[in-house]
Structures are given as structure tokens and as C-alpha cells.
Amino acid sequence: MRLVAKLGAAALILVGAGAAGGWALTAPRSLSEAELAGISSGDPVQGQRIFNAGSCASCHAAPGAEGEARKRLGGGVRLATQFGTFVAPNISPDPQDGIGNWALQDFANAVLRGVSPGGQHYYPAFPYTSYARMKPQDVADLYAYLRTLPPVQGKAAANEVSFPFNIRRGLGLWKLLYLDPAPVVAEAESAGGAIAAGRYLVEGPGHCGECHTPRNAIGGLKKDQWLAGAAAAEGQGNVPNITGGEGGIGEWSEEDIVNLLETGFTPEFDSVGGPMADVVKNTAQLTADDRAAMAAYLKSIPPHPNGYTSAPTPAQ
Ligand code: HEC
Ligand code: HEC
């Protein structure tokens, strides 16, 4: 079966199972009262760090925005995937067109659970499958920071997604399978120090796995090939293997990784392009300690051979 047909069939099964297996199974799961009670008002200065670690501007600022324009979160970046084209919405504090009227609880449910204030599922093109690992207090800080940014008028265009993917309810089953806030590399916790701190940044806000980990036919991350490299979800080519396995970055020192995250240069003095160039605009704003923690974690994770099979052309 061709991949596209397979995807269509898988999605139909998911949607069908949603109807037959019970409406309840696909219901959006919001944070519980107890989880929400742990979130108090946030600190915008801390929130700016999470904003940079999470690369929110890469999708929610205008396409190609530089410098201060990356703080104008009117949306509009288009993500063309095999499931359809998703358009990042306006998340500026504008009360009409952005999220200026949202309570902290609404924001926390969106970022940590992929659920809208109206009780609908978001598409995982919004990488909440990683953000779900964020600490609630970091989400509160991020919320406080976003409120300091300029309101931007105008809504972004609608998503262009056709049947069966246009049925948001069908995402309920997908989320049951793939929305798991548990850490991926369990050993990194006991390692403590920089490795544990790096795990949080890479697996949580940094959402590095969303591009660097291969996906199965219905778009779920193959966690047994964590960060092993993948066919790009958007556009063409491959996203490189960033484990120490064959084809990966085993030869790189921690310094090399830190340097890439700060300057965009590889040890061969090539500069990374495509979506990674945009990631670096964000990681360059982090502290040296945060970049060092990410590098320590990457050097500690289980090595895997390349997670893609086609010729290793760089993704652009
Ligand atoms: C890879 C691109 C991408 C990144 C990075 C990203 N988002 Fe989004 N975001 C989206 C898309 C696409 C949607 C819409 C999903 C849908 O239509 O279901 C969205 C939706 C949202 C919404 C819901 C808005 C609404 O009007 O309902 C919020 C809030 C949000 N994102 C916040 C954030 C924050 C905060 C960050 C950084 C921590 C972030 N996003 C990073 C792509 C992204
Ligand atoms: C939006 C997708 C995306 C995200 C998110 C992403 N990357 Fe990348 N990354 C890429 C692509 C594509 C390349 C290849 C760029 C090139 O070759 O020009 C790359 C390259 C790299 C490289 C260089 C590997 C090599 O062999 O040259 C490292 C290291 C890396 N990324 C680390 C990270 C880390 C750490 C994060 C999380 C903070 C991250 N990436 C998040 C897409 C992404």
C-alpha cells in the first residue's frame, strides 16, 4: 500500500474507532482541578527564557520575522505536512484576534494538553506533545511573558486540512496513544545535574524530538529511535541523527554542540540551514548554562543508527 493510502486508512480507522468505541474515549482531557491549583501567577522574566527555549516565535511570529518583529505573535507561518497545511494562529495579547482574553488555565490546557478553551483538540503541528512535559510554573511564567508583548490585530488564515483529518474529535484517540508527558530518557533523571536539566529543555520546551525523531504512519513519534534522525515532516530531505549512533554526532564534543546552538556553525564550519537555522535564533538567546545542559543530555542519550532510510540529503 502506498504511504498516502496507508495514512488515509489509518486515519479512517482512528475516526471510525472514535465513533464505534465511544464518544467518551475521544473527549478532550483538560488539566484536573488539582493540577491547575498548583499553578500560580507567573514571572515574565523567567517566561522569556521558556519562550526562547520553546521557539514559540518560529511559528507564531510573521514568516521570516527578525529581531523585535519576533515578539509580534500575529501568526501566519504555514506548516505543509502530509496531513494538510496548518497555519499558526495569532497568540498575541490582542483580545479580539489573539489570546488576550484567555485565563491562565485556558493557556495551560492548550500548552500542556492540546485542548482549546472551547474544549476542542489542537493538531499536534502545535508541538504540545513535547510541551506537555513542561513544569506548570514555567507555563505560568510563559503566560506572564506573552502578556508583555505587543497586541497584533488580524487573525491568521484557517488550516487547510481535508477529510478525515479535519475532524478534530478523531485526534482524541491519537492523543491517547501519543500524548505522554512522561520523560523519554528515564536514565537522564538519575544522572542529575546538567544532564537532567538538559533533558527537561530538550524533551520539553525545546521539542527537539518533534523534528529529529522518526514517526510512524499515523504521525506518532517512534520513541525507541529517539533523536535518531527522520524524514522531514515538512518539505523534503532528512533531519539529522543527533544521537551518538552511526550517522549521528558521536564525534562531536559537548563544546561543538554548545557552539552550534549559539552560532549555528557545525564543527566543519558549515552553518545549519532550513528549520534548524530558525531554532538557533532561539537557542542563541538562552544562557550558556542552558545550552551546556542540552549538550550534556545529547551526549548521554542511547545511541541509534540513522532513523531514516533514503539518501541523507539535508532538509531545507
Ligand atoms: C512548529 C510550530 C509551532 C510552535 C513551535 C509553537 N506553536 Fe503554537 N500553534 C501552532 C499551530 C499550528 C497551532 C494551531 C493548531 C490547531 O489549529 O489545532 C498552534 C496553536 C497555539 C495556541 C492556541 C491558539 C488559539 O487561538 O487557539 C497557543 C496558545 C499556542 N499555540 C501557544 C504556543 C506557545 C506558547 C509556543 C511556544 C512554547 C508555541 N505555541 C509554539 C504551531 C506552533
Ligand atoms: C523544526 C525542526 C527542528 C527542530 C525543532 C530542531 N531541529 Fe535540529 N536540525 C533540524 C534540521 C533540518 C537540521 C539540519 C540542518 C542542516 O543540515 O542545514 C538540524 C540540525 C541539527 C544539528 C546538527 C546535526 C548535524 O549532523 O549537522 C544539531 C546538533 C541539532 N539540530 C540539534 C537540535 C536541538 C538540540 C534541538 C532542540 C533545541 C533541535 N535540533 C531542534 C531540524 C530541527
Side-chain angles (χ1 to χ4, degrees):
M1 201 165 28
R2 282 183 41 236
L3 181 63
V4 177
K6 244 196 230 168
L7 290 175
L12 278 175
I13 292 166
L14 282 185
V15 173
W23 194 234
L25 210 54
T26 56
R29 278 147 218 255
S30 301
L31 292 161
S32 69
E33 288 293 324
E35 287 165 313
L36 287 171
I39 308 182
S40 63
S41 67
D43 170 359
V45 177
Q46 293 298 324
Q48 183 166 19
R49 168 179 174 248
I50 299 299
F51 178 74
N52 289 326
S55 297
C56 312
S58 293
C59 292
H60 290 284
E66 298 284 347
E68 283 299 294
R70 293 175 67 80
K71 296 183 175 169
R72 296 180 55 82
L73 305 179
V77 166
R78 297 168 65 83
L79 305 159
T81 74
Q82 61 214 135
F83 304 102
T85 296
F86 301 94
V87 186
N90 183 336
I91 61 162
S92 79
D94 188 84
Q96 244 85 55
D97 299 327
I99 62 169
N101 283 336
W102 287 30
L104 171 57
Q105 282 75 3
D106 295 328
F107 183 73
N109 270 317
V111 175
L112 296 172
R113 290 291 179 273
V115 176
S116 76
Q120 284 201 314
H121 294 299
Y122 287 117
Y123 290 102
F126 169 22
Y128 57 77
T129 37
S130 294
Y131 297 154
R133 299 191 186 98
M134 279 165 51
K135 294 174 198 148
Q137 191 56 48
D138 282 348
V139 176
D141 292 346
L142 179 56
Y143 173 81
Y145 174 68
L146 292 181
R147 295 183 89 80
T148 69
L149 299 180
V152 180
Q153 283 181 355
K155 288 215 178 282
N159 294 330
E160 293 156 25
V161 185
S162 45
F163 184 80
F165 303 114
N166 60 346
I167 303 174
R168 285 185 183 264
R169 188 76 184 214
L171 285 164
L173 275 177
W174 189 92
K175 286 166 81 176
L176 273 183
L177 293 171
Y178 301 115
L179 178 57
D180 178 6
V184 183
V185 181
E187 303 88 301
E189 182 67 27
S190 48
I195 296 179
R199 177 183 72 174
Y200 176 69
L201 289 170
V202 169
E203 295 186 6
H207 69 282
C208 317
E210 303 281 341
C211 294
H212 285 280
T213 302
R215 293 177 186 271
N216 63 21
I218 55 169
L221 290 181
K222 295 183 183 167
K223 289 195 186 141
D224 56 348
Q225 290 177 272
W226 184 241
L227 300 181
E234 293 174 67
Q236 286 170 357
N238 297 312
V239 182
N241 180 354
I242 55 170
T243 75
E246 202 191 329
I249 58 170
E251 311 272 277
W252 295 36
S253 67
E254 270 181 44
E255 259 321 295
D256 291 336
I257 300 173
V258 167
N259 191 48
L260 177 118
L261 296 174
E262 187 177 1
T263 66
F265 283 104
T266 69
E268 286 83 43
F269 295 101
D270 282 337
S271 61
V272 284
M276 191 63 201
D278 211 274
V279 171
V280 171
K281 284 185 196 162
N282 300 279
T283 54
Q285 314 273 332
L286 294 174
T287 61
D289 281 354
D290 281 346
R291 283 187 293 268
M294 288 176 155
Y297 164 84
L298 289 182
K299 290 302 284 181
S300 79
I301 58 173
H304 298 294
N306 287 348
Y308 50 83
T309 47
S310 54
T313 48
Q316 287 305 333

